[in-house]
Amino acid sequence: KWIVGFHEVCVARGINFQEPGKNYQARLDVFRDTKDDLIDGCEYPFGCYKDEDIERVHRSWTPMEEGPKELGFEQRTCSGPGKPDRFSNGVPSFRFCWETENLQSCSRCKAVLYCGRECQVADWKRGHKNVCARLAKERKDKEKISQMAKEE
């Protein structure tokens, strides 16, 4: 319920979620303005809207043995926006491509990986161009500091 209310207020204020890295202050303002008003339902786990749902979740829940590696958190994946699939009506269904094979880093910043030119161009248009130069500078600064430390 909270996320639905938060999203509705953002849409009403004209805040676009499709532009990564933008509207941060506006979204933070919405959060601050609404956090106390939209708490209804936050006591329920995700997907539950009433007490019967909670009981169902508690009955069916079992702990999992998987850690970060088994869940894919340590896996390197393409940073591209993804490719349309049969479930998404031509729209990428995930924010990232998730391809894991034959990845190459951005030639400038070396901070992101791509499976091919299609994903690289799409991510550049999506907003990587706004952060690439800064990431490259930060990487070079870290390399300089590391080199200076080795010389001492």
Side-chain angles (χ1 to χ4, degrees), residues 7 12 40 44 52 66 71 82 84 92 104 111 115 117 126 140:
H7 184 263
D40 182 42
Y44 298 124
E52 298 85 49
E66 291 88 4
L71 295 172
Q104 294 188 1
C115 64
R117 179 132 177 89
R126 183 175 71 169
K140 288 178 183 174

Side-chain angles (χ1 to χ4, degrees), residues 45-46 48 52-66 71:
F46 182 75
C48 299
E52 298 85 49
D53 290 336
I54 293 175
E55 291 171 16
R56 178 184 45 79
V57 168
H58 285 292
R59 280 193 312 270
S60 64
W61 182 83
T62 55
M64 299 173 68
E65 296 295 323
E66 291 88 4
L71 295 172

Side-chain angles (χ1 to χ4, degrees), residues 80-98:
K83 299 176 179 79
D85 63 25
R86 62 190 172 104
F87 301 110
S88 62
N89 296 322
V91 177
S93 58
F94 294 103
R95 183 160 178 74
F96 296 102
C97 172
W98 302 107

Side-chain angles (χ1 to χ4, degrees), residues 13 35 41-42 56 61 119 129-131 137 143 150:
R13 292 187 187 181
K35 65 181 172 61
C42 286
R56 178 184 45 79
W61 182 83
C119 279
K129 64 183 168 190
N130 299 327
V131 297
K137 183 182 181 316
E143 288 173 358
K150 289 178 184 176

